[in-house]
Amino acid sequence: MNEVVAERLGSGVAALSAIGVRDLDVCFGSDQPVVALDKITFDVADGEFLAVVGPSGCGKSTLLKVLAGLLAPTAGHVSLRGEVVSRPRRDIGVVFQSPVLFPWRSVMENALLPADVIGLTGPAITSRTQALLNLVGLAGFEKRYPRELSGGMQQRVGIVRALVHNPSVLLMDEPFGALDALTREIMNRELQRIWLEERKTVLFITHSIAEAVYLADRVLVMTPRPGRVALEVRVDFPRPRPLSVVNTKEFGAHVARIRDVLDASGGIE
């Protein structure tokens, strides 16, 4: 296993962790098993924004599925505030790369879907949903349908849907990967603003090194398959972060360091 180079938040991380991952292995197949994840161990502190970056096929999405309770690990475990995650949970929200909105449901109805599934009804949940739609800039679009929205607007609905039942943890699997570069920058800035308002614990998966450094308190870098932790970097830029921070020497140094590790591990062709 590759040596883990870590810049930890400090000895208190484990004690305060919202998410704990311990010796996580995931293998697919039995005759000639493919090892997707190999001995992954890390913590995410309560209210922390952790980004995970790595090459295609390194197991990032597999990691998210295990954290969400959608996939059982081969060995090891993940926990949420000390309780092992073995199934989907109400206190975990998930945002996927595609918002997967139902075309026959309005924006408000799509946003309310998780509440409908778990039986949350009444003025309080409607009020929260409206407040979240306002927060993401969709006030006035409540009765619109997905076909009437841009890609960025659809993804905003997906974020609201993941937050509507007020989970403590938000898992995001390359949510802006399908957007054009300009819209992606706007959504990065908007996600930061939403996170500052909601203060959820976030695990954010991305292929973009710059996106990871801009958004995260820490960046976890993974090797090509089998996915292992190659590097953890703490990002100390004050918040809120303007988009202009990407032009600073310090930002460039973080990006270069992560790129060097990916290049050394074969993650950049």
Side-chain angles (χ1 to χ4, degrees):
M1 180 175 178
N2 292 349
E3 179 181 359
V4 176
V5 182
E7 293 180 356
R8 306 297 293 178
L9 288 176
S11 59
V13 170
L16 298 174
S17 62
I19 299 172
V21 179
R22 293 290 177 273
D23 295 321
L24 185 67
D25 291 351
V26 176
C27 300
F28 296 107
S30 55
D31 294 337
Q32 294 182 321
V34 174
V35 181
L37 297 174
D38 182 27
K39 298 295 184 294
I40 300 290
T41 294
F42 64 91
D43 293 283
V44 187
D46 191 30
E48 183 182 11
F49 197 123
L50 177 72
V52 179
V53 66
S56 296
C58 73
K60 301 186 300 297
S61 294
T62 297
L63 173 63
L64 183 137
K65 289 175 183 176
V66 175
L67 289 168
L70 300 172
L71 177 68
T74 305
H77 69 271
V78 302
S79 61
L80 183 62
R81 292 186 174 81
E83 184 177 341
V84 173
V85 176
S86 58
R87 55 180 174 76
R89 297 170 53 122
R90 178 172 169 174
D91 47 0
I92 297 176
V94 184
V95 181
F96 296 103
Q97 181 171 351
S98 171
V100 196
L101 304 179
F102 289 116
W104 60 87
R105 294 180 71 119
S106 68
V107 165
M108 176 63 79
E109 290 167 341
N110 268 290
L112 278 167
L113 183 60
D116 293 343
V117 170
I118 61 179
L120 283 178
T121 59
I125 192 65
T126 302
S127 177
R128 172 167 173 77
T129 306
Q130 184 63 63
L132 287 169
L133 290 172
N134 295 347
L135 178 63
V136 302
L138 289 177
F141 288 86
E142 297 85 355
K143 296 181 180 180
R144 299 290 183 93
Y145 289 87
R147 65 180 179 274
E148 301 176 274
L149 307 179
S150 67
M153 294 171 76
Q154 289 186 29
Q155 197 58 279
R156 290 171 195 246
V157 179
I159 293 171
V160 171
R161 184 177 57 193
L163 291 171
V164 72
H165 57 298
N166 202 24
S168 60
V169 170
L170 186 62
L171 307 177
M172 309 187 77
D173 190 3
E174 299 191 62
F176 309 139
L179 303 178
D180 64 83
L182 181 58
T183 303
R184 189 167 184 161
E185 280 194 353
I186 294 170
M187 290 303 297
N188 282 338
R189 185 180 60 197
E190 289 299 290
L191 177 59
Q192 178 187 217
R193 182 176 61 84
I194 294 164
W195 177 77
L196 288 171
E197 287 277 347
E198 289 281 312
R199 288 295 183 179
K200 303 297 183 184
T201 302
V202 176
L203 187 140
F204 184 95
I205 288 176
T206 180
H207 275 102
S208 170
I209 300 172
E211 183 172 67
V213 174
Y214 174 74
L215 286 170
D217 298 312
R218 270 191 306 150
V219 179
L220 186 152
V221 185
M222 294 181 66
T223 66
R225 190 177 64 241
R228 301 176 177 123
V229 177
L231 178 72
E232 292 181 20
V233 177
R234 185 175 181 179
V235 182
D236 289 324
F237 301 126
R239 296 185 186 272
R241 296 171 183 170
L243 287 175
S244 59
V245 73
V246 304
N247 299 318
T248 64
K249 180 180 179 180
E250 294 78 9
F251 189 97
H254 282 314
V255 170
R257 184 182 180 198
I258 294 169
R259 183 176 289 118
D260 286 347
V261 169
L262 286 171
D263 191 29
S265 67
I268 297 178
E269 297 181 355

